[in-house]
């Protein structure tokens, strides 16, 4: 290996987490630990109706009987569920502020440091933000305008109170509470999250966005997001995360459910940049996320796009159940791991209806001593006539201490369905590097350019606001001097 | 669970039953079969194996009566007939063939797959009752044909063979499985491909409906050696082909190529696993299958590249054609890579026969059936043309035609 590559790798290894700071807001928490009382405390705190509490307790009882999933290619330390706070709300937020000026200026400052344009600039950019600071929604902008169209965009705790019929019908319908241990845990103790309902034939005019922040130490954050797109509607939803630098590990187990009815389309984009731990692999967020979309109606479409750069452990498989005839599922992913990060991420496409189509593009980049795994499941059931899948997953290795793994499961039970899968693993092409260098780019710039090109297929799927951020993030994750 | 009962009852008849250390090891293996560990969901090795059948194994092994397993010798070519996994001892300047007897307990412990949680290999260790050792001497160039013959119905044969290709040797090995009875044949081949040696292996399987064949193999490849395996499965009965190999020293190459053609409610289980443990090695894993009726097939392929195995080239390809709406194909092409300077890829497709190709042929006046047959034969034709051994070519072509005649 030539000295410059070594230098670049060293630089990359030395890259510090740029978003590591802690906002000093007094948090109001119950005691640590999880039992039925904790759940009652959370439910009570949120003034939830009885049926909701019962639903949570049911999930908790299921969770007690379940074991942690073991099939992933991850080394997960034992999690002490009794050493975690399950509820933390910034003080004084029982009464929600009506607009930004009423929001704690410290919070606004935190968002500004992160470069989240929650305030004026974002409004100008046409984005309504439902920011979750720890577990309670802080402010919801643009709500009025959305209301005019009949769109419901609020926190899930509010929706439980105001739209119980929708919650009762759809919550847990895509991810059953007993699906696996993390989904049961989330169902039992989820504190907040977003709820979106798009009525028939409405195209949501702006991109809805939530910024999740994990703030108080040892607070597991359990969001629950539910998005319902009624017949003929369209919505694009953005989710992004950064977290302050911490030493002790933090647990995060979110559930996201999407439901698309006839002719509806949901586009869900994520940038995840949580604290990955330091160079020795100490600290960092454990990210166990269950995301699942159900294409319930005919001709519906769900598209997942994700850029994963953070977290010490990522365990995440946004999936699509293609139940309606002619429905479409898409998955675009970039996963970058550095230092001691571990990622086991991918998707699951279950073709049930006729003429269903799915497309998977996954790009994994491993650096340092990290392990990056793509795990995907594509299955065609008996009735999925003329269905199609195309999968492409490419991995890039930088340095020889990391690992890149590809574990696809492909099953076809229908003779008219067609599935194609391709995967490749390689290092950065020397000739491409040489070409870039010849034209006057520094080594770092060249690497960044090539990697960005490698990811382009995915990044171009992101909405405008995110695309810029994502490109920056890719560069930051990669090197020490470019960006 | 009756495996433990069968094991205890028949222990005296197994190979190496006099050795205490073998007994200990076997007892450890037996523990894996305690119901609590009998975890079908998380164990690939028994994905399509009938659990009940496995548990209710009826151990029955008979040594063959004096049969003529003469090894015919003409111009460096040998034919070995293995009756119930046994044959006569033989030795000349080219090779040595030795029946495994109960004296050499080292043979039992020559098992690199002991910890891979492959239940069928564990079962083989547990009930091992026959096998042969074939050593091809240095720098010899020979052809060997092995006919695996099971003599009667209802037998359970647990056979383990060791085949050593000494330095610089070149071996063309043909293995035939053509059994028409309802026995269980669990066979585990261990190949040692030494420095600069070349091993070309053809496996042709054509068993009848009730005959179950569990064929596993493990090959270790030394410096600059070549191991080339081709498996053709035309059986009407269940066949499990699990083939593992390790590239232990530099510049070695290995390829696992397989074809299966299955019909009615038959199942074909396939797995190939290549471990790259040294630099500058190459591997290929290619499996193609055609499924009709209610048949079912699996293919697990896996490439593991160790940290020191730089400049590795490892390729996988899996292709399945489903001809009927009730057939099922499952494939899991895995890559586990820990070195950066590698070229590894896999491709996998499952689907029907290409509609456009059928249309093209039909518009030229060819009937639909003939068109489908033409397309399927072209599916393996390019490989067939590379076979230099005319005898194998004709066997494969004959079996393929038989399969094609029956599909419409």
């Amino acid at each position: 290996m030539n000295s410059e590559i070594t230098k670049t790798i060293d630089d990359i290894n030395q890259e510090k987490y740029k978003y590591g700071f802690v906002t000093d807001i007094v948090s109001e928490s119950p005691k640590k630990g999880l039992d039925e009382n904790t759940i009652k405390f959370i439910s009570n705190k949120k003034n939830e109706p009885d049926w909701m509490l019962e639903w949570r307790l049911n999930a908790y009882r299921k969770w007690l009987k379940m074991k942690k999933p073991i099939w992933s290619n991850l080394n997960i330390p034992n999690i002490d569920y009794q050493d975690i706070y399950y509820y933390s709300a910034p003080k004084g937020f029982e009464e929600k502020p009506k607009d930004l000026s009423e929001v704690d200026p410290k919070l606004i400052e935190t968002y500004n440091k992160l470069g989240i344009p929650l305030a004026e600039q974002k409004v100008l950019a046409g984005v309504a933000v439902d920011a979750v600071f720890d577990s309670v929604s802080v402010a919801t902008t643009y709500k009025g305008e959305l209301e005019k169209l009949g769109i419901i965009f609020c926190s899930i705790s509010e929706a439980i109170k105001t739209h119980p019929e929708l919650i009762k019908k759809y919550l847990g319908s895509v991810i059953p509470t007993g699906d696996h241990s993390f989904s049961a845990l989330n169902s039992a103790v989820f504190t907040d999250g977003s709820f979106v309902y798009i009525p028939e034939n409405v195209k949501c005019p702006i991109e809805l966005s939530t910024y999740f922040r994990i703030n108080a130490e040892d607070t597991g954050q359990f969001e629950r997001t539910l998005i319902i797109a009624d017949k003929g509607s369209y919505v694009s939803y953005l989710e992004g995360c950064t977290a302050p630098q911490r030493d002790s590990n933090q647990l995060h187990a979110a559930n996201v459910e999407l439901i698309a009815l006839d002719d509806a389309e949901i586009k869900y984009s994520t940038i995840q940049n949580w604290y990955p731990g330091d160079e020795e692999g100490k600290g960092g967020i454990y990210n166990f996320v269950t995301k699942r979309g159900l294409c319930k109606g005919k001709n519906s479409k769900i598209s997942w796009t994700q850029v994963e750069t953070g977290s010490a452990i990522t365990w995440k498989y946004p999936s699509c159940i293609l139940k309606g005839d002619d429905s479409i599922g898409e998955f675009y992913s970039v996963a970058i791991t550095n230092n001691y990060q571990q990622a086991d991420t991918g998707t699951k496409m279950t073709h049930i209806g006729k003429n269903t189509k799915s497309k998977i593009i996954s790009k994994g980049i491993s650096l340092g001593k990290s392990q990056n795994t793509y795990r995907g499941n594509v299955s065609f059931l008996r009735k999925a006539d003329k269905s199609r899948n195309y999968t492409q997953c490419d991995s890039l290795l930088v340095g020889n201490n990391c690992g890149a793994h590809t574990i696809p499961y492909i099953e076809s039970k229908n003779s008219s369905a067609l599935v194609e899968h391709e995967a490749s693993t390689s290092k950065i092409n020397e000739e491409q590097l040489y070409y870039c260098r010849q034209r006057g780019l520094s080594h770092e710039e060249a690497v960044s350019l090539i990697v960005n090109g490698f990811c382009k297929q995915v990044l171009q799927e992101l909405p405008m606001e995110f695309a810029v951020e994502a490109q920056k993030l890719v560069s930051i994750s990669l090197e020490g001097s470019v960006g | 669970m009756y495996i433990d009962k069968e094991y205890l009852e028949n222990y005296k008849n197994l190979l190496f039953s006099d050795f205490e250390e073998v007994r200990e090891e076997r007892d450890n293996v037996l523990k894996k079969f305690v119901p609590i560990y009998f975890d079908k969901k998380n164990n690939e090795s028994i994905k399509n194996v009938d659990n009940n059948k496995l548990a209710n194994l009826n151990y029955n092994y008979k040594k063959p009566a004096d049969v003529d397993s003469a090894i015919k010798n003409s111009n460096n070519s040998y034919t070995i007939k293995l009756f119930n996994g046994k044959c006569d001892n033989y030795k000349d300047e080219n090779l040595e063939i030795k029946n495994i007897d109960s004296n050499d307990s080292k043979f039992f412990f020559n098992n690199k797959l002991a910890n891979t949680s492959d239940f069928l290999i564990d079962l083989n260790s547990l009930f091992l009752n026959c096998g042969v050792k074939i050593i091809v001497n240095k720098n010899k160039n020979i052809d060997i044909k092995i006919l695996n013959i099971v003599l009667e119905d209802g037998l359970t044969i647990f056979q383990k063979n060791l085949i050593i290709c000494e330095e610089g040797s070149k071996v063309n090995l043909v293995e035939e499985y053509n059994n028409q009875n309802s026995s269980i044949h669990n066979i585990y081949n261990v190949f040692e491909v030494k420095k600069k040696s070349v091993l070309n292996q053809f496996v042709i399987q054509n068993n009848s409906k009730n005959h179950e064949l569990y064929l596993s193999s493990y090959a270790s490849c030394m410096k600059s050696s070549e191991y080339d395996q081709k498996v053709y499965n035309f059986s009407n009965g269940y066949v499990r082909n699990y083939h593992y190999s390790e590239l232990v020293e530099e510049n070695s190459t290995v390829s696992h190529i397989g074809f299966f053609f299955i019909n009615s409610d038959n199942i074909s289980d396939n797995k190939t696993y290549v471990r790259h443990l040294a630099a500058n090695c190459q591997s290929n894993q290619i499996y193609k299958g055609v499924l009709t009726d209610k048949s079912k097939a699996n293919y697990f392929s896996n490439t593991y590249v160790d940290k020191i195995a730089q400049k590795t080239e490892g390729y996988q390809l899996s292709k399945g054609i489903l001809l009927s709406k009730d057939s099922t194909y499952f494939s899991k092409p895995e890559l586990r890579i820990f070195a950066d300077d590698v070229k590894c890829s896999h491709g996998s497709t499952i689907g029907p026969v290409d509609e456009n190709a059928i249309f093209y042929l039909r518009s030229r006046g060819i009937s639909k059936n003939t068109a489908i047959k033409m397309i399927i034969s072209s599916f393996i034709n390019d490989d067939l043309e590379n076979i230099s051994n005319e005898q194998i070519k004709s066997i494969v072509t004959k079996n393929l035609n038989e399969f094609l005649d029956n599909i419409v």
Side-chain angles (χ1 to χ4, degrees), chain A residues 207-328:
Chain A
E207 257 125 18
L208 303 177
S209 129
T210 303
Y211 249 97
F212 296 112
R213 286 281 274 128
I214 295 180
N215 197 275
E217 193 167 2
D218 283 339
T219 307
Q221 194 168 352
F222 302 92
E223 298 106 8
R224 185 95 197 186
T225 300
L226 178 61
I227 299 176
I228 304 154
D230 214 325
K231 287 173 189 169
S233 63
Y234 167 84
V235 62
S236 167
Y237 188 85
L238 319 179
E239 177 206 284
C241 325
T242 52
Q245 190 149 9
R246 290 286 184 186
D247 264 341
S248 62
N249 288 304
Q250 291 178 305
L251 173 69
H252 184 97
N255 276 11
V256 177
E257 293 177 284
L258 311 183
I259 294 140
L261 301 178
D262 289 1
D263 301 308
E265 180 177 349
I266 303 174
K267 192 173 162 64
Y268 195 102
S269 317
T270 313
I271 291 186
Q272 187 261 103
N273 184 24
W274 282 325
Y275 179 52
D278 61 16
E279 293 91 280
E280 271 88 52
K282 209 168 161 240
I285 307 281
Y286 296 171
N287 187 20
F288 303 108
V289 185
T290 311
K291 290 186 171 174
R292 201 174 292 166
L294 173 64
C295 287
K296 201 173 179 184
K298 279 180 192 161
N299 230 353
S300 52
K301 180 177 175 183
I302 287 178
S303 165
W304 299 98
T305 310
Q306 61 172 22
V307 177
E308 301 279 325
T309 62
S311 292
I313 297 175
T314 304
W315 182 100
K316 184 180 177 190
Y317 314 94
S319 42
C320 294
I321 301 167
L322 302 166
K323 196 174 170 194
D325 293 349
D326 303 301
S327 55
I328 299 173

Side-chain angles (χ1 to χ4, degrees), chain B residues 121-173:
Chain B
I121 285 173
D122 289 337
L123 210 61
N124 184 289
S125 306
L126 204 62
F127 288 104
L128 186 64
N129 50 29
C130 59
V132 293
K133 198 173 186 174
I134 302 172
I135 302 162
V136 178
N137 292 338
K138 267 190 189 177
N139 301 323
K140 298 296 179 192
N141 185 345
I142 57 168
D143 295 340
I144 302 176
K145 185 170 185 177
I146 299 178
L147 301 169
N148 281 284
I149 299 160
V150 179
L151 288 171
E152 47 188 297
D153 277 340
L155 293 182
T156 53
I157 295 174
F158 294 91
Q159 180 183 352
K160 183 171 166 188
N161 301 325
L162 174 64
I163 293 129
I164 301 173
C165 303
E166 292 288 2
E167 225 176 290
S169 61
K170 187 167 188 289
V171 182
N172 286 315
L173 176 69

Side-chain angles (χ1 to χ4, degrees), chain A residues 51-52 55 159-160 163-175 195 197 200 224 226 228 230-231 257 259 261 294 296:
Chain A
W51 58 267
M52 197 61 226
W55 195 80
I160 289 168
H163 302 282
E165 73 293 342
L166 286 172
I167 298 288
K168 272 184 190 166
K169 188 171 176 192
Y170 289 112
L171 191 69
S173 69
V174 186
I175 307 171
F195 174 81
Y197 173 79
E200 270 183 48
R224 185 95 197 186
L226 178 61
I228 304 154
D230 214 325
K231 287 173 189 169
E257 293 177 284
I259 294 140
L261 301 178
L294 173 64
K296 201 173 179 184

Side-chain angles (χ1 to χ4, degrees), chain A residues 36-319:
Chain A
E36 295 205 359
N37 287 332
T38 318
I39 292 162
K40 281 176 190 154
F41 175 88
I42 295 168
S43 192
N44 185 33
K45 202 79 195 158
K46 298 193 152 294
N47 293 323
E48 282 177 1
D50 289 345
W51 58 267
M52 197 61 226
L53 176 64
E54 203 42 51
W55 195 80
R56 285 173 183 273
L57 289 172
N58 252 332
Y60 172 71
R61 283 165 202 145
K62 278 185 186 156
W63 177 77
L64 283 177
K65 290 181 202 146
M66 289 174 131
K67 283 186 190 146
K68 200 168 69 180
I70 49 157
W71 38 262
S72 67
N73 190 17
L74 299 170
N75 184 10
I76 306 170
N78 209 11
I79 299 162
D80 185 359
Y81 291 101
Q82 300 307 333
D83 197 33
I84 297 169
Y85 290 107
Y86 287 86
Y87 182 81
S88 141
K91 241 185 181 170
F93 273 76
E94 306 283 353
E95 297 296 314
K96 275 200 172 176
K98 299 284 175 298
D99 65 60
L100 287 174
S101 58
E102 288 177 32
V103 174
D104 190 331
K106 261 191 181 167
L107 264 183
I108 304 290
E109 203 185 310
T110 312
Y111 291 132
N112 282 336
K113 266 197 241 173
L114 281 167
I116 306 163
L118 176 76
E120 210 55 36
Q121 64 267 44
K122 198 81 181 188
V123 178
L124 285 173
V127 178
V129 179
D130 178 19
V132 175
F133 189 97
D134 272 19
S135 313
V136 171
S137 287
V138 180
T140 310
T141 50
Y142 253 94
K143 221 168 167 180
E145 287 202 18
L146 294 173
E147 264 166 21
K148 271 183 215 158
L149 289 165
I151 294 170
I152 306 164
F153 178 36
C154 59
S155 72
I156 199 137
S157 14
E158 199 181 317
I160 289 168
K161 279 170 248 168
T162 53
H163 302 282
E165 73 293 342
L166 286 172
I167 298 288
K168 272 184 190 166
K169 188 171 176 192
Y170 289 112
L171 191 69
S173 69
V174 186
I175 307 171
T177 47
D179 201 60
H180 56 84
S181 102
F182 296 124
S183 76
L185 180 67
N186 176 286
S187 305
V189 299
F190 73 87
T191 40
D192 219 332
S194 302
F195 174 81
V196 179
Y197 173 79
I198 315 287
E200 270 183 48
N201 298 321
V202 170
K203 304 258 180 279
C204 183
I206 46 172
E207 257 125 18
L208 303 177
S209 129
T210 303
Y211 249 97
F212 296 112
R213 286 281 274 128
I214 295 180
N215 197 275
E217 193 167 2
D218 283 339
T219 307
Q221 194 168 352
F222 302 92
E223 298 106 8
R224 185 95 197 186
T225 300
L226 178 61
I227 299 176
I228 304 154
D230 214 325
K231 287 173 189 169
S233 63
Y234 167 84
V235 62
S236 167
Y237 188 85
L238 319 179
E239 177 206 284
C241 325
T242 52
Q245 190 149 9
R246 290 286 184 186
D247 264 341
S248 62
N249 288 304
Q250 291 178 305
L251 173 69
H252 184 97
N255 276 11
V256 177
E257 293 177 284
L258 311 183
I259 294 140
L261 301 178
D262 289 1
D263 301 308
E265 180 177 349
I266 303 174
K267 192 173 162 64
Y268 195 102
S269 317
T270 313
I271 291 186
Q272 187 261 103
N273 184 24
W274 282 325
Y275 179 52
D278 61 16
E279 293 91 280
E280 271 88 52
K282 209 168 161 240
I285 307 281
Y286 296 171
N287 187 20
F288 303 108
V289 185
T290 311
K291 290 186 171 174
R292 201 174 292 166
L294 173 64
C295 287
K296 201 173 179 184
K298 279 180 192 161
N299 230 353
S300 52
K301 180 177 175 183
I302 287 178
S303 165
W304 299 98
T305 310
Q306 61 172 22
V307 177
E308 301 279 325
T309 62
S311 292
I313 297 175
T314 304
W315 182 100
K316 184 180 177 190
Y317 314 94
S319 42

Side-chain angles (χ1 to χ4, degrees), chain A residues 73 371 382 397 399-401 403-408 410-413 415 417-421 423-427, chain B residues 307 322 324-326 328-341 344-352:
Chain A
N73 190 17
Q371 301 295 333
R382 282 268 179 260
L397 289 142
N400 57 356
N401 290 318
H405 318 288
T406 315
I407 310 174
I410 305 157
E411 182 164 35
S412 175
K413 290 185 176 173
S415 62
L418 184 62
V419 49
E420 285 172 275
H421 179 102
S424 69
T425 304
S426 60
K427 67 170 189 174
Chain B
K307 210 167 134 183
L322 303 182
S324 76
K325 64 181 194 335
D326 293 321
T328 303
Y329 187 70
F330 176 86
S331 84
K332 186 182 171 199
E334 240 179 282
L335 296 170
R336 285 177 186 262
I337 293 157
F338 294 91
D340 64 335
D341 193 3
C344 287
S345 73
H346 64 219
S348 172
T349 60
I350 307 171

